[in-house]
Amino acid sequence: MEGDSHAGVTVQHLSRVRQNPDQPNLRQVHLIHAELLDELAGQGFTVRPGDLGENVLTRGLELLVLPRGTRLHIGADAVVEITGLRNPCGQIDNFQPGLLKAVLDEDEDGKLIRKAGIMGVVLVGGTVSSGDEIRVELPPPPHRPLERV
């Protein structure tokens, strides 16, 4: 995203830069499903679009179950390839106490579920506007589930 602090070919997130500044940037674009904001509102949180740092807010698209490598065609030209799940950190509690716990869950086997959106890289740039259609292009099988990036 032009002008975004995470734009660039190599990693921009400070903790990852300290580990290896030459690693590829798999976190250029952050997408969140609006249904998460609805869920958080039901728990008493006030979270508006953009508050969690997302670049794109979707509705009616099950982002968390899409496989790695899925391409999202946004608007007329832009294409974003999904790289993985956003791994929220403790800084999210600086925005609102308890929010980190609210965007994490566990399945019946005790496995951590990250609900704070997905990350992707820009394959094709373009203008993205509110209300643009998003077309999903799944990668060829076998599909790989999303992991944290």
Side-chain angles (χ1 to χ4, degrees):
M1 304 296 275
E2 189 174 326
D4 187 82
S5 63
H6 291 281
V9 176
T10 56
V11 68
Q12 301 296 308
H13 197 274
L14 294 178
S15 66
R16 293 163 197 268
V17 168
R18 284 190 294 271
Q19 291 173 356
N20 176 2
D22 298 322
Q23 62 185 306
N25 185 7
L26 302 178
R27 300 167 54 97
Q28 295 174 354
V29 180
H30 177 203
L31 300 97
I32 286 185
H33 49 295
E35 292 83 357
L36 176 62
L37 304 187
D38 299 340
E39 178 184 328
L40 294 172
Q43 296 176 33
F45 292 97
T46 302
V47 182
R48 296 180 311 271
D51 282 349
L52 296 179
E54 74 276 11
N55 304 107
V56 177
L57 184 68
T58 68
R59 184 168 291 281
L61 182 57
E62 293 187 56
L63 296 176
L64 303 179
V65 299
L66 293 171
R68 211 169 350 157
T70 296
R71 292 182 176 187
L72 301 176
H73 299 260
I74 307 173
D77 300 310
V79 181
V80 172
E81 184 172 301
I82 297 172
T83 56
L85 295 167
R86 177 186 185 197
N87 188 37
C89 67
Q91 291 180 16
I92 201 168
D93 276 342
N94 294 337
F95 178 66
Q96 287 184 46
L99 196 54
L100 179 61
K101 187 173 192 290
V103 298
L104 297 173
D105 209 345
E106 287 186 359
D107 67 14
E108 57 277 351
D109 297 324
K111 183 180 174 192
L112 186 63
I113 299 172
R114 293 171 175 86
K115 302 185 293 185
I118 62 172
M119 305 304 294
V121 296
V122 176
L123 296 182
V124 179
T127 300
V128 174
S129 301
S130 180
D132 278 351
E133 181 179 327
I134 299 176
R135 182 174 59 84
V136 176
E137 178 188 351
L138 294 174
H143 292 159
R144 297 172 298 158
L146 296 177
E147 297 174 358
R148 71 177 179 93
V149 293

